[in-house]
Amino acid sequence: MSKDKKPKSKIFINKEFCKGCGFCVEFCKKGVLVLSNSYCDSGYHFPEVIKNNCVGCYTCEIVCPDFAIKVEKL
Ligand code: SF4
Ligand code: SF4
């Protein structure tokens, strides 16, 4: 049974900064992110939020080498 918890934080993705390295996807222990099948204007796959269970750990923001992802605590 899944509990409908309120998200603890919000993820902002600036896809035009993203280079599609996938670090944010790989290092998120909660499986919040996947790389999109779509491309940004620069030709890279960018991350998308697929789950509502972000815990606001900032890992994705810290590992992103291109400052393309930001975490805001709610
Ligand atoms: S803040 Fe943490 S839990 Fe939320 S998307 Fe980033 S790595 Fe995942
Ligand atoms: S870590 Fe940054 S550059 Fe790499 S896929 Fe994620 S948002 Fe894009």
Side-chain angles (χ1 to χ4, degrees):
M1 194 190 307
S2 68
K3 291 180 188 165
D4 188 19
K5 290 184 185 168
K6 275 193 171 180
K8 294 186 172 70
S9 54
K10 187 165 171 50
I11 304 297
F12 295 93
I13 296 158
N14 186 339
K15 61 185 183 184
E16 298 313 325
F17 284 9
C18 174
K19 299 290 189 297
C21 68
F23 289 169
C24 56
V25 174
E26 189 175 331
F27 283 90
C28 174
K29 291 195 170 89
K30 294 293 180 179
V32 174
L33 305 164
V34 292
L35 283 187
S36 171
N37 288 327
S38 303
Y39 297 92
C40 67
D41 288 348
S42 309
Y44 300 107
H45 295 291
F46 52 89
E48 289 179 331
V49 174
I50 56 157
K51 287 187 187 173
N52 207 16
N53 61 340
C54 172
V55 293
C57 68
Y58 294 100
T59 301
C60 54
E61 181 176 317
I62 292 163
V63 299
C64 177
D66 293 290
F67 308 103
I69 186 161
K70 296 275 174 224
V71 181
E72 185 181 301
K73 288 267 198 180
L74 298 177

